[in-house]
Amino acid sequence: SQQGEEDPQALSIQEGENATMNCSYKTSINNLQWYRQNSGRGLVHLILIRSNEREKHSGRLRVTLDTSKKSSSLLITASRAADTASYFCATDAYNFGNEKLTFGTGTRLTIIP
Amino acid sequence: AAGVIQSPRHLIKEKRETATLKCYPIPRHDTVYWYQQGPGQDPQFLISFYEKMQSDKGSIPDRFSAQQFSDYHSELNMSSLELGDSALYFCASRDGRGDTQYFGPGTRLTVL
């Protein structure tokens, strides 16, 4: 089952522009994490935002979380060709010993040099 | 910094064969998770272990089993392989005091 839907499914922008990806989820969460995956490779953890946080920054990344709307957004500023990848949001519904991640469907981001 | 290690990285099997995937978590991480990612799909949770005990189970077929050993490494055993088992299998580990799951590079299983 898919907890989240990501929007858009695919995004192509020019290098240097900002990229915004959105994620919606269905159930109450403990935290929400964003991961990057280069084609068919491993999942790289980008950033974690807790349910009591509204915004978080890490380098060129900015994540927002709106628990009332059950949605999150990931903004990548000043995009680079190396940012080309698929981006997934993942949520966990905290229950001790039961912090499995439920992933969204992913956004495939292409940065055009 | 040490990362999650998975072996093998690639595996090719015939239908009805068995496969064993191994995962070595980040040192001092006590929780291991297994996920399956089919082609073009998002990762799906299979099973997890905390302190060598199964802690949660997802959509894992009965043909699959897993365990976590005393050194915290984990193995996913897959029997009677089917074509539909072809996927990327990820292991992730987590420090019990933190919330972030760190993923390994994955094992790409191809069933012919």
Side-chain angles (χ1 to χ4, degrees):
Chain A
S1 63
Q2 292 174 354
Q3 161 79 311
E5 298 289 328
E6 294 195 49
D7 166 41
Q9 290 192 338
L11 178 63
S12 291
I13 60 172
Q14 294 290 136
E15 192 168 21
E17 293 182 338
N18 296 340
T20 300
M21 289 159 272
N22 303 296
C23 163
S24 61
Y25 56 91
K26 298 175 183 174
T27 63
S28 296
I29 62 170
N30 183 48
N31 61 61
L32 185 145
Q33 304 180 54
W34 284 89
Y35 288 85
R36 184 185 73 222
Q37 183 178 36
N38 291 87
S39 182
R41 306 185 74 172
L43 291 156
V44 176
H45 183 262
L46 296 176
I47 196 166
L48 178 152
I49 186 166
R50 302 188 190 285
S51 59
N52 61 353
E53 297 176 311
R54 291 296 167 259
E55 186 170 316
K56 202 162 184 181
H57 297 255
S58 176
R60 294 184 297 114
L61 306 180
R62 181 171 78 95
V63 169
T64 62
L65 179 65
D66 186 335
T67 52
S68 67
K69 295 181 179 177
K70 293 187 169 55
S71 67
S72 174
S73 68
L74 171 68
L75 168 68
I76 303 175
T77 60
S79 63
R80 305 168 182 169
D83 295 328
T84 294
S86 291
Y87 292 81
F88 292 91
C89 68
T91 56
D92 80 357
Y94 184 75
N95 183 8
F96 182 73
N98 185 16
E99 303 86 359
K100 63 185 177 188
L101 291 179
T102 303
F103 284 82
T105 51
T107 293
R108 180 180 293 278
L109 175 65
T110 302
I111 307 300
I112 303 166
Chain B
V4 177
I5 297 171
Q6 291 188 247
S7 68
R9 295 292 307 278
H10 302 272
L11 191 57
I12 299 174
K13 291 285 185 178
E14 300 279 340
K15 280 196 314 184
R16 292 179 289 278
E17 286 190 323
T18 61
T20 296
L21 279 53
K22 297 185 179 182
C23 169
Y24 298 86
I26 293 171
R28 292 180 296 281
H29 281 198
D30 51 18
T31 308
V32 167
Y33 306 81
W34 286 96
Y35 294 85
Q36 177 193 57
Q37 185 180 29
Q41 309 270 319
D42 55 290
Q44 297 287 316
F45 171 73
L46 292 178
I47 194 167
S48 61
F49 294 88
Y50 169 68
E51 283 291 346
K52 293 154 279 184
M53 299 288 291
Q54 182 182 308
S55 56
D56 196 11
K57 198 172 181 180
S59 50
I60 182 169
D62 291 340
R63 299 177 289 108
F64 294 6
S65 65
Q67 56 183 319
Q68 185 179 31
F69 295 85
S70 58
D71 64 352
Y72 293 97
H73 95 272
S74 179
E75 295 184 3
L76 177 66
N77 299 293
M78 311 160 71
S79 63
S80 302
L81 287 169
E82 302 174 355
L83 296 178
D85 296 329
S86 295
L88 261 174
Y89 290 84
F90 289 108
C91 170
S93 74
R94 187 179 69 88
D95 175 349
R97 297 165 297 173
D99 293 320
T100 300
Q101 291 186 25
Y102 295 93
F103 282 74
T107 294
R108 182 174 294 282
L109 172 66
T110 302
V111 181
L112 302 175

